């Protein structure tokens, strides 16, 4: 997938790639994804994706991007607080998953910003998010769409 900046990815439909082409990427060894869910917000407000990446290997792995056909734009983001106490979000280009550790994407922290849904989503729908790692490796997780009030179950 061609993108304007690392960590940002367009959907297969927008980039000219078919949905199956990303499936050829090799899954990273010793990496798994758990508890993937998407917080759906009303109207045209962006949604957010959350999950936990486990790395059972002896080397850190870098998460470099995300793809999905369900949204026109998917970007790695981080929510942070300034020294003045102001909350803000910024795009991140890559995030390290520590060796023998985990990386948690959760509200008020790392998240996948999801904009321009390809079709309206309802609570309970499943959305495939493909996480892209260094060396072109990829792993797809099925994520459940949930209301903002439900949070991580």
């Amino acid at each position: 997938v061609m993108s304007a900046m690392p960590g940002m990815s367009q959907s297969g439909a927008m980039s000219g790639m078919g949905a199956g082409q990303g499936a050829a990427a090799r899954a990273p060894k010793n990496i798994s994804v758990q508890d993937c869910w998407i917080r759906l917000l009303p109207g045209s407000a962006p949604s957010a994706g959350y999950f936990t990446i486990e790395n059972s290997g002896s080397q850190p792995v870098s998460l470099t991007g995300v793809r999905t056909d369900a949204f026109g734009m998917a970007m790695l983001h981080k929510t942070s607080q300034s020294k003045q106490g102001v909350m803000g979000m910024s795009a991140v280009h890559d995030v390290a998953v520590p060796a023998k550790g985990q990386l948690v994407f959760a509200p008020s922290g790392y998240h996948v910003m999801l904009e321009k849904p390809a079709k309206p989503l309802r609570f309970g729908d499943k959305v495939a998010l493909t996480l892209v790692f260094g060396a072109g490796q990829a792993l797809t997780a099925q994520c459940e769409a949930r209301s903002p009030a439900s949070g991580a179950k």
Side-chain angles (χ1 to χ4, degrees):
V1 171
M2 295 171 35
S3 62
M5 62 189 245
M8 182 173 73
S9 173
Q10 297 176 324
S11 75
M14 291 182 67
S15 67
M17 284 183 60
Q21 290 182 2
R26 181 168 53 100
K29 190 176 178 184
N30 303 317
I31 298 295
S32 63
V33 179
Q34 287 86 36
D35 305 321
C36 189
W37 65 285
I38 293 174
R39 180 178 60 198
L40 289 183
L41 294 176
S44 62
S47 296
Y50 306 108
F51 45 83
T52 299
I53 302 173
E54 299 275 348
N55 180 0
S56 62
S58 59
Q59 297 294 319
V61 175
S62 184
L63 176 65
T64 60
V66 62
R67 297 190 299 257
T68 181
D69 287 337
F71 290 87
M73 187 182 327
M75 296 175 28
L76 300 176
H77 266 224
K78 183 177 184 181
T79 302
S80 55
Q81 188 171 1
S82 72
K83 291 178 184 177
Q84 295 78 23
V86 177
M87 297 298 287
M89 282 188 293
S90 58
V92 293
H93 301 293
D94 59 73
V95 186
V97 184
K100 306 270 187 225
Q102 62 179 214
L103 173 64
V104 177
F105 274 53
S108 301
Y110 287 112
H111 60 279
V112 176
M113 179 69 69
L114 299 164
E115 297 181 9
K116 302 176 187 167
K119 65 175 185 166
L121 293 172
R122 293 187 300 229
F123 303 137
D125 286 352
K126 299 289 186 190
V127 173
L129 288 185
T130 299
L131 307 179
V132 181
F133 297 88
Q137 298 173 319
L139 184 62
T140 299
Q142 293 298 317
C143 311
E144 182 182 2
R146 298 184 189 162
S147 78
S150 70
K153 290 182 182 177

